């Protein structure tokens, strides 16, 4: 783990926030080292006889991990080199291309510290998923459900980490009708590549439940789902031809220019090719 501090934005910070939340600190699980994260780190350092500087280096990392030791180990679920090699062979892609896409498009890791796949629940998608199942979402929209059921997209209800499962379960439990459970699972993005559940049937899974079960297994399954998504949406060819901008536009949307996804893909490819 590299040393991180206030202001850093990275996958290590996401993991740090997960550990702090597990230790009962009030932080939002995200990849941003916020003021709240800094405050929690300093409190943890104070209570564990560490230098109180807000910097998470070797000693603070070691102590955090030790204090969280009773957590679920995800080591046997992580993506392997062989997974990437198999993916490259299956889709007739250069391995450096696959590694570049994996580095840029994956969220760093696909599982929470408790062993469940990482998710993000989208309340505006839940609204639409209920509608396509013949259910009027307005009937269930009230003060109690405002954080999980809303008509327009917003990020203000994101909480990150394990708390996203609380939102998912809340959506599932609005009504015992199986349609609500299916709609809720279809309204979350899942795993390493954050594939929306509503893609499950179109990319080849029999049911949304089958897709979710696969997401619980390992990151290799996340990569497999990513491949199915790319194939279904005819994106493999852009990767074979190294048309980074065309791929980024179709996978990330028009915002790819702002985030320079195409440039990141090209730089990562050149790094792995060399």
């Amino acid at each position: 783990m590299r040393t991180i501090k206030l202001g850093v934005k990275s996958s290590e910070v996401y993991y740090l926030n997960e550990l702090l939340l597990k230790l009962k600190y009030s932080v939002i699980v995200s990849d941003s080292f916020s003021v709240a994260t800094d405050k929690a780190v300093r409190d943890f350092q104070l209570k564990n006889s560490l230098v109180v500087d807000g910097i998470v280096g070797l000693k603070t990392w070691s102590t955090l991990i030790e204090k969280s030791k009773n957590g679920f180990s995800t080591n046997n679920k992580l993506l392997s080199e062989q997974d990437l090699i198999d993916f490259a062979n299956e889709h007739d892609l250069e391995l450096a291309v696959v590694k570049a896409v994996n580095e840029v498009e994956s969220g760093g890791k696909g599982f929470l510290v408790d062993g469940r796949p990482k998710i993000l629940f989208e309340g505006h998608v839940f609204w639409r998923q209920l509608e396509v199942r013949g259910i009027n979402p307005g009937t269930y929209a009230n003060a109690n459900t405002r954080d999980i059921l809303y008509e327009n997209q917003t990020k203000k209800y994101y909480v990150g980490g394990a708390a996203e499962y609380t939102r998912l379960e809340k959506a599932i439990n609005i009504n015992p009708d199986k349609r609500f459970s299916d709609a809720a699972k279809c309204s979350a993005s899942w795993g390493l590549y954050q594939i929306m559940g509503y893609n499950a049937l179109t990319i080849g899974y029999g049911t949304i439940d089958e897709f979710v079960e696969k997401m619980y297994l390992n990151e290799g399954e996340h990569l497999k789902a990513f491949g199915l998504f790319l194939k279904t949406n005819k994106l493999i060819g852009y990767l074979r031809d190294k048309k980074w901008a065309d791929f980024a536009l179709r996978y990330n949307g028009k915002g790819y220019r702002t985030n320079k996804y195409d440039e990141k893909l090209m730089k990562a490819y050149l790094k792995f090719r060399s």
Side-chain angles (χ1 to χ4, degrees), residues 14-33:
Y14 191 100
Y15 181 52
L16 168 65
N17 280 318
E18 282 190 301
L19 293 177
L20 290 171
L21 186 66
K22 190 163 185 259
L23 293 169
K24 308 303 181 186
Y25 285 100
S26 297
V27 295
I28 292 177
V29 179
S30 74
D31 59 1
S32 296
F33 201 126

Side-chain angles (χ1 to χ4, degrees), residues 176-208:
D177 188 326
K178 181 68 164 58
R179 290 179 296 171
F180 283 78
S181 174
D182 288 351
K185 292 172 184 176
C186 284
S187 303
S189 54
W190 295 83
L192 192 62
Y193 301 94
Q194 288 294 278
I195 297 173
M196 288 299 302
Y198 61 70
N199 290 298
L201 271 64
T202 59
I203 65 176
Y205 294 89
T207 63
I208 179 59

Side-chain angles (χ1 to χ4, degrees), residues 139-151:
T139 305
Y140 299 90
N142 53 54
N144 184 52
T145 62
R146 65 185 176 186
D147 61 331
I148 57 165
L149 184 62
Y150 36 87
E151 195 166 3

Side-chain angles (χ1 to χ4, degrees), residues 206-217:
T207 63
I208 179 59
D209 287 336
E210 179 191 349
F211 172 75
V212 170
E213 286 171 9
K214 295 292 185 183
M215 294 303 98
Y216 266 82
L217 294 179

Side-chain angles (χ1 to χ4, degrees), residues 42 73 76 96 107 109 125 130 132 183 188 192-193 198 206 216 238 268:
R42 290 174 185 272
S73 173
N76 64 335
K109 66 190 186 75
V125 177
L130 289 176
V132 299
L192 192 62
Y193 301 94
Y198 61 70
Y216 266 82
Y238 296 113

